[in-house]
Amino acid sequence: MRTILITGASGGLAQEMVKGLPDDQLILLGRSQKKLANLYGNHPHAELIEIDITDDSALETLVANLYLRYGKIDVLINNAGYGIFEDFDQISDKDLHQMFEVNTFALMNLSRRIGARMKEKRQGHIINIVSMAGLIATAKSSLYSATKFAAIGFSNALRLELLPYGVYVTTVNPGPIRTAFFDQADPDGAYLQSVERFLLEPDKVAKKIIGIIGKNKRELNLPMLLNLAHKFYTLFPKLADKLAGGIFHYK
């Protein structure tokens, strides 16, 4: 039985991943024990843990305790994250710091702590759920994209450092997924309306993520149309900026 740790376990994508992992020992992290219990209280192989993942000392204690009890973590899925889509000059200092704490620093801290243990055991897989916004920056996503670009840069370096030890690091970069993420990120629905053609269903994304567990896959970019857009963006950045300004300049 594999031991799999998932952060942001209350989210829609995590819920679909859990459905697809019925035979694994799951360690599910979230901000609310009550919400976790409502979602997974009847799961036969799930430990539910309420934790503030931005508290590094709490993460350190958690990892030490988990290894004492389980002896290993085979797969770490860093899934926690949130977004706010707003003009750069409308972003508050609090938003700036808080989003980096959740989207970037927590991912880095958990990856460092568990990655070091995986390195010792010479096996494991870290899957970082990042975003296409970490590959293609669009208007009104300056802060969100910054947190995701940083997460991808960290993951790319970590991949190179851990590969000689038999530990895999995969970044998953989905476009917009039809989940409650947008309740906070896009309260008036304007963004969702503008990207309707790219919307992904959480069950399909979850299935693809589960399919790469244990495989040495560098990245998974979804959907195909946005993956092609990323390649175009890389090859023709000036033209891509012009097109993105028209297509994604919402609100």
Side-chain angles (χ1 to χ4, degrees):
M1 183 184 283
R2 297 176 299 189
T3 303
I4 300 175
L5 189 154
I6 304 175
T7 70
S10 302
L13 179 58
Q15 291 174 45
E16 295 299 330
M17 284 191 281
V18 169
K19 287 178 190 174
L21 299 165
D23 301 320
D24 296 287
Q25 173 61 52
L26 304 179
I27 303 163
L28 305 176
L29 273 53
R31 289 176 297 173
S32 165
Q33 188 75 27
K34 185 178 178 182
K35 190 166 185 181
L36 290 170
N38 286 339
L39 290 169
Y40 309 116
N42 296 323
H43 196 290
H45 309 299
E47 179 174 357
L48 314 179
I49 299 174
E50 178 180 326
I51 189 171
D52 174 5
I53 59 169
T54 68
D55 182 342
D56 192 35
S57 63
L59 284 185
E60 185 176 11
T61 301
L62 172 72
V63 171
N65 287 340
L66 290 176
Y67 272 87
L68 277 175
R69 289 190 287 113
Y70 291 99
K72 61 167 187 167
I73 292 173
D74 298 296
V75 184
L76 164 63
I77 303 178
N78 279 305
N79 173 66
Y82 75 100
I84 297 170
F85 297 119
E86 193 53 88
D87 284 317
F88 77 96
D89 53 357
Q90 298 301 311
I91 296 166
S92 70
D93 291 346
K94 183 182 177 184
D95 288 338
L96 193 152
H97 289 279
Q98 184 62 26
M99 200 183 296
F100 264 100
E101 289 284 352
V102 175
N103 291 2
T104 311
F105 300 149
L107 175 149
M108 292 173 71
N109 284 329
L110 209 45
S111 295
R112 284 190 311 119
R113 299 194 184 287
I114 293 179
R117 308 269 189 150
M118 289 178 171
K119 179 180 174 181
E120 284 177 14
K121 292 186 177 291
R122 304 186 77 89
Q123 65 174 29
H125 193 173
I126 297 172
I127 299 175
N128 289 331
I129 313 296
V130 190
S131 173
M132 286 300 294
L135 297 172
I136 304 172
T138 58
K140 307 203 178 177
S141 72
S142 59
L143 174 54
Y144 183 66
S145 284
T147 67
K148 298 300 185 176
F149 269 78
I152 290 175
F154 170 78
S155 300
N156 287 345
L158 188 66
R159 179 185 304 111
L160 297 175
E161 293 186 37
L162 288 178
L163 191 57
Y165 300 93
V167 179
Y168 304 145
V169 179
T170 303
T171 52
V172 178
N173 301 309
I177 305 173
R178 200 186 301 275
T179 67
F181 170 90
F182 290 104
D183 294 350
Q184 177 179 7
D186 178 44
D188 66 7
Y191 176 76
L192 266 182
Q193 193 174 359
S194 73
V195 297
E196 180 70 32
R197 79 193 88 169
F198 305 118
L199 264 185
L200 295 159
E201 297 302 329
D203 59 329
K204 291 183 170 59
V205 178
K207 190 175 180 181
K208 287 188 178 290
I209 294 167
I210 290 166
I212 64 170
I213 290 177
K215 296 178 182 175
N216 184 18
K217 188 168 179 66
R218 186 179 189 278
E219 61 185 10
L220 175 63
N221 299 329
L222 303 165
M224 188 183 294
L225 194 57
L226 283 183
N227 190 33
L228 290 172
H230 161 56
K231 294 183 188 306
F232 181 82
Y233 184 88
T234 305
L235 291 169
F236 309 104
K238 200 177 240 186
L239 181 56
D241 276 354
K242 281 188 179 179
L243 292 173
I247 297 170
F248 293 108
H249 198 90
Y250 49 85
K251 291 191 181 177

